[in-house]
């Protein structure tokens, strides 16, 4: 294939001089590899922290009943599952290590391939329990806790998935965030609960257990379940997902099958990208909690639930059809920026101390200036981990949208990491091309990057950073310092190869889109409401909704309810508009169909014509054919091409 790369190959496609960390080499073709890496002290934090904790509290203090009560927390704090219509037994586990796509870890199946017999494998979210202890006034990470941990008798997980789209307000852009919400979906239905798909919570424990399914009539109290009924009197959606455990007792959550159904005798029209009355789908979300049963040290047992800041949440979204391409702004970027600018950074959590994985976040929060010309006056961004990945992501878009084309070669110029004054003009030129987020002071000129649509793209009265996607204020501030030569240069570093608590949080969120929220892919704009978080990256399971005029607590189905109904309609319409894309890192726009191709073709294309009779995909066509489209997958030569597309569509 004639690869769409600049004449001078990028460092991502060639083996540069890499800095080994923990004895590994970076996956240098991965645009986000550097983002997860950093100084060796940070990579060694987990092992060093555990050893230090053991030394501080004594050799036997890690036994239950000594050294203070254990504090249990679930990681990832927010997990991402994705629908798939293949047999649930073929599931694969989503990303667990920052900077890396799903790795096909056991007990899931290997990826690629992402399909079985032409159907899409479901992506599962795996949750783990980690033990923390109070040591020297600091909440300190000790270890992961599994059924194999001495003193652990059992781990009981509870998750609650629900879909409340059909009973919620219609999605009208920013309505509900900055002003009153739009009208209700299915407004003529008086019994709003009858529109909700909620089969109740499910619990599971033990080794390699399950499946425990979210199906009607199978909860502990079926009288509390709800589900819309079809014209035949049967539930329209009969399955929202299932729970399993791995051999160590960790929780595995699978979502639905990607179905869209209706409650009338014949299919209603699908005129809207987001609001279609009479339609339902099996997207969902909800809380995840756990109770650890341990020996109490006196011959008895004790049930210890996760603490108030230890619960998790699972979001179920559509498939990621380009798992090796990372969004220009990820959900991790959004929540990291929230932590820097809006949330109190825990002062008594060792994860934020020097050497910890979140030490840089604390430094940024301390240095942040909410007003003025410079966001972070004294902070020195690390080029390798905090600047280069922003540009590398832009380069990755060349595989999924033709407007990126071959124009991003300069993003990989090695001089970008050189703070010498001779390269200042180049740096300032790059910075000037970036769209400024809300509140940022910028020099003359109007940046247009990233070339993506935003949260309110059709409102000509909205500011540019709402009509078009902008990087976060934290990212913009880091880029400003870099442009001014205020940064630390460095080699291409290596991400950690093992599992860490915050690494789990980060890996899941980095693989999800942080905008545009119109309405979004995995989650809508309410995820950026700081009042819903108990600490950085972790939702407060007892929080009160910040949706306009609503004071009810959040609960299962809260974050999926404002998403498109059915999701297929928005997946159709989120194709690029002109040279601006929506979410091509998850729903590709233009792809190379094979290794020999030199021209990109539309991802959502028919072999001849769709069932609608049109050559361009319509909402009904996506409902029928979503699983037939291909996955864009990295090849051994570092190119990314479309794979596993059905031989004929439809």
């Amino acid at each position: 294939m004639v690869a769409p790369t600049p004449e001078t190959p990028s460092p991502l496609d060639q083996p540069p001089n890499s800095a080994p960390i923990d004895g590994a080499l970076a996956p240098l073709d991965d645009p986000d590899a550097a983002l997860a890496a950093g100084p060796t002290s940070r990579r060694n934090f987990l092992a060093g922290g555990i050893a230090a904790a053991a030394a501080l509290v004594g050799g036997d203090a890690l036994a239950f009943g000594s050294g203070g009560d254990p504090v249990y927390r679930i990681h990832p704090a927010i997990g991402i599952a994705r629908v798939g219509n293949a047999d649930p037994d073929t599931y694969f586990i989503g990303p667990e290590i920052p900077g890396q796509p799903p790795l096909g870890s056991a007990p899931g199946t290997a990826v690629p391939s992402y399909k079985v017999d032409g159907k899409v494998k479901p992506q599962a979210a795996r949750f783990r329990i980690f033990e923390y202890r109070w040591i020297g006034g600091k909440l300190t990470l000790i270890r992961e806790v599994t059924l194999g941990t001495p003193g652990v008798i059992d781990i009981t997980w509870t998750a609650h998935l629900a879909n409340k789209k059909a009973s919620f307000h219609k999605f009208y852009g920013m309505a509900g965030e900055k002003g009153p919400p739009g009208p209700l979906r299915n407004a003529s239905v008086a019994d709003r609960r009858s529109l909700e798909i909620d089969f109740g919570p499910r619990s599971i424990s033990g080794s390699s257990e399950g499946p425990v399914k979210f199906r009607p009539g199978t909860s502990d109290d079926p009288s509390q379940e709800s589900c819309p009924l079809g014209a035949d009197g049967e539930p329209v959606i009969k399955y929202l997902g299932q729970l399993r455990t791995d051999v160590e007792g960790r929780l595995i959550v699978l979502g639905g099958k990607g179905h869209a159904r209706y409650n009338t005798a014949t299919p209603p029209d699908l005129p809207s990208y987001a609001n279609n009355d009479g339609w339902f789908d099996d997207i969902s979300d909800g809380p995840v909690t756990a109770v650890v049963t341990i020996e109490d040290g006196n011959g008895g047992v004790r049930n210890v639930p996760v603490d108030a800041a230890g619960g998790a949440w699972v979001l179920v979204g559509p498939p990621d059809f380009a798992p090796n391409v990372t969004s220009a702004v990820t959900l991790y970027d959004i929540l990291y920026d929230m932590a820097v600018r809006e949330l109190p950074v825990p002062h008594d959590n060792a994860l934020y101390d020097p050497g910890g994985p979140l030490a840089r976040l604390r430094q940024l929060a301390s240095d942040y200036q909410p007003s003025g010309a410079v966001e972070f006056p004294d902070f020195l961004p690390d080029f390798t981990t905090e600047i280069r990945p922003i540009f590398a992501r832009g380069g990755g878009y060349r595989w999924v949208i033709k407007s990126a084309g071959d124009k991003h070669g300069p993003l990989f110029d090695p001089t970008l990491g050189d703070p010498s004054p001779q390269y200042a003009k180049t740096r300032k030129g790059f910075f000037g091309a970036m769209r400024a987020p809300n509140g940022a002071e910028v020099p003359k000129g109007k940046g247009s990057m990233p070339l993506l649509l935003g949260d309110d793209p059709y409102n000509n009265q909205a500011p540019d950073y709402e009509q078009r996607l902008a990087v976060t204020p934290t990212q913009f501030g880091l880029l400003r310092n870099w442009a001014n030569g205020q940064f630390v240069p460095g080699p291409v570093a290596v991400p950690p190869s093992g599992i860490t608590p915050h690494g789990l949080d980060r890996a899941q969120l980095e693989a999800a889109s942080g905008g545009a929220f119109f309405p979004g892919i995995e989650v809508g704009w309410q995820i950026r409401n700081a009042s819903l978080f108990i600490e950085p990256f972790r939702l407060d399971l007892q929080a009160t909704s910040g949706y306009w005029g609503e004071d009810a607590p959040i609960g299962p189905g809260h974050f999926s309810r404002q998403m498109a109904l059915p999701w297929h309609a928005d997946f159709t319409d989120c194709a690029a508009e002109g040279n601006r894309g929506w979410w091509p890192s998850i729903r590709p726009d233009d792809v190379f169909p094979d290794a020999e191709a030199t021209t990109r073709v539309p991802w959502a294309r028919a072999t001849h014509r769709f069932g609608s009779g049109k050559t361009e995909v319509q909402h009904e066509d996506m409902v029928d054919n979503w699983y037939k489209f291909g996955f864009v997958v990295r090849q051994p030569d570092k190119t990314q091409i479309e794979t596993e597309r059905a031989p004929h569509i439809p």
Side-chain angles (χ1 to χ4, degrees):
M1 134 175 214
V2 178
T5 53
E7 291 183 2
T8 301
S10 84
L12 299 181
D13 296 323
Q14 297 292 318
N17 295 324
S18 303
I21 294 179
D22 290 353
L25 290 178
L28 298 175
D29 56 302
D30 189 332
D32 273 334
L35 185 60
T40 304
S41 60
R42 279 185 269 163
R43 299 283 65 80
N44 292 333
F45 170 73
L46 180 60
I50 293 174
L56 282 170
V57 301
D60 63 349
L62 295 181
F64 293 102
S66 60
D69 287 338
V71 174
Y72 295 125
R73 293 189 172 179
I74 300 170
H75 293 274
I78 299 176
I80 311 291
R82 299 184 185 275
V83 298
N85 62 341
D87 188 315
D89 288 346
T90 68
Y91 76 88
F92 65 94
I93 293 173
E96 294 189 304
I97 297 176
Q100 299 192 28
L103 299 178
S105 304
T109 61
V111 285
S113 63
Y114 289 92
K115 294 185 182 181
V116 173
D117 297 329
K119 295 183 177 181
V120 172
K121 297 178 182 179
Q123 175 179 306
R126 177 161 57 180
F127 295 89
R128 304 169 186 245
I129 299 285
F130 285 84
E131 177 187 346
Y132 296 78
R133 299 257 178 158
W134 291 101
I135 299 175
K138 295 281 187 179
L139 188 65
T140 304
L141 172 65
I142 301 299
R143 57 185 169 183
E144 182 185 1
V145 171
T146 71
L147 293 179
T149 302
V152 172
I153 298 173
D154 199 8
I155 300 172
T156 302
W157 298 90
T158 300
H160 191 167
L161 298 178
N163 177 313
K164 299 178 179 178
K165 291 183 179 183
S167 69
F168 197 56
H169 298 277
K170 293 183 178 181
F171 179 79
Y172 283 172
M174 310 293 282
E177 182 179 48
K178 294 187 173 181
L184 293 172
R185 291 170 174 155
N186 301 286
S188 64
V189 179
D191 183 0
R192 308 305 294 174
R193 175 73 171 159
S194 71
L195 296 167
E196 298 177 354
I197 307 165
D198 185 350
F199 305 134
R202 296 292 187 275
S203 295
I204 191 171
S205 63
S207 171
S208 302
E209 291 294 328
V212 175
K213 299 179 181 180
F214 290 90
R215 298 186 66 92
T218 61
S219 69
D220 291 340
D221 186 359
S223 69
Q224 298 302 306
E225 298 177 9
S226 64
C227 185
L229 303 179
D232 59 0
E234 292 294 314
V236 172
I237 297 294
K238 298 181 179 180
Y239 173 83
L240 278 185
Q242 59 181 253
L243 307 181
R244 302 185 180 209
T245 61
D246 68 10
V247 68
E248 297 291 339
R250 307 179 185 103
L251 176 66
I252 297 169
V253 180
L254 281 70
K257 292 180 175 291
H259 288 164
R261 297 288 185 266
Y262 44 88
N263 63 353
T264 52
T266 58
D269 290 338
L270 281 168
S272 170
Y273 72 98
N275 308 299
N276 294 290
D277 287 356
W279 282 89
F280 305 86
D281 66 26
D282 58 6
I283 295 295
S284 64
D285 72 283
V288 176
T289 60
V291 175
V292 183
T293 303
I294 62 174
E295 298 172 354
D296 66 3
N298 298 310
V301 299
R302 188 156 58 100
N303 292 324
V304 183
V306 296
D307 78 332
W313 207 275
V314 61
L315 305 170
V316 179
D320 182 352
F321 284 98
N324 295 104
V325 180
T326 302
S327 300
V329 178
T330 70
L331 192 53
Y332 182 81
D333 297 327
I334 293 291
L335 299 188
Y336 192 93
D337 177 70
M338 175 194 293
V340 169
R341 298 188 304 113
E342 300 182 75
L343 293 177
V345 176
H347 66 278
D348 55 358
N349 189 324
L351 293 176
Y352 298 85
D353 286 352
L358 292 171
R360 301 282 285 179
L361 191 157
R362 174 176 283 172
Q363 294 170 18
L364 279 165
S366 176
D367 195 39
Y368 174 62
Q369 299 296 315
S371 60
V374 178
E375 293 84 353
F376 306 106
D378 300 317
F379 190 84
L380 290 174
D382 179 90
F383 177 78
T384 299
T385 63
E386 294 167 324
I387 301 299
R388 180 180 179 273
I390 298 174
F391 299 142
R393 291 176 186 177
Y397 273 66
R398 67 195 186 274
W399 306 113
V400 289
I401 184 169
K402 64 182 179 182
S403 60
D406 306 334
K407 305 170 185 175
H408 285 160
L411 294 176
F412 306 120
D413 187 337
T415 65
L416 296 180
D418 189 332
S420 302
Q422 69 191 88
Y423 302 119
K425 183 177 179 180
T426 300
R427 293 195 303 271
K428 290 182 182 296
F430 272 55
F431 177 65
M434 302 301 293
R435 180 175 292 106
N438 184 16
E441 293 190 15
V442 293
K444 292 182 180 180
K446 185 178 181 181
S448 61
M449 293 290 141
L451 204 62
L452 299 169
L453 292 158
D455 295 340
D456 208 1
Y458 308 118
N459 179 4
N460 292 332
Q461 305 304 312
D464 184 60
Y465 57 78
E466 289 184 0
Q467 293 186 55
R468 309 286 182 259
L469 185 69
V471 295
T472 69
T474 296
Q475 288 176 308
F476 196 75
L478 295 175
L479 286 167
R480 187 195 302 276
N481 287 9
W482 165 79
N484 291 332
Q486 181 181 325
F487 69 98
V488 177
V492 176
V494 181
S497 58
I499 298 295
T500 66
H502 182 67
L504 290 167
D505 296 346
R506 182 171 187 163
Q508 292 279 292
L509 296 170
E510 280 184 341
S513 175
F517 293 126
F518 193 84
I521 289 286
E522 302 87 1
V523 67
W525 46 250
Q526 208 180 4
I527 196 68
R528 64 188 177 200
N529 187 322
S531 69
L532 302 184
F533 287 78
I534 197 167
E535 66 178 30
F537 310 106
R538 191 175 294 273
L539 288 161
D540 181 355
L541 272 56
Q542 307 302 317
T544 298
S545 170
Y547 196 84
W548 185 275
E550 186 177 61
D551 60 2
I554 64 173
H558 181 86
F559 292 100
S560 57
R561 61 186 183 163
Q562 73 176 127
M563 306 302 285
L565 179 60
W567 65 268
H568 315 71
D570 194 43
F571 221 64
T572 302
D573 287 0
C574 68
E577 299 182 17
N579 63 355
R580 292 187 174 91
W582 283 102
W583 309 284
S585 59
I586 294 169
R587 189 278 194 200
D589 287 301
D590 310 289
V591 299
F592 289 95
D594 55 58
E596 287 72 41
T598 58
T599 302
R600 299 169 180 84
V601 297
W603 173 76
R605 64 193 186 277
T607 303
H608 298 292
R609 291 181 181 271
F610 287 106
S612 62
K614 298 185 178 181
T615 55
E616 292 189 1
V617 62
Q618 307 297 304
H619 296 162
E620 295 85 350
D621 300 320
M622 188 65 76
V623 168
D624 294 337
N625 298 290
W626 64 271
Y627 63 94
K628 299 178 184 178
F629 298 116
F631 282 79
V632 178
V633 176
R634 181 183 291 121
Q635 304 302 302
D637 64 356
K638 309 303 188 288
T639 60
Q640 296 195 40
I641 63 173
E642 181 185 57
T643 65
E644 301 186 80
R645 176 181 159 89
H648 299 282
I649 299 178

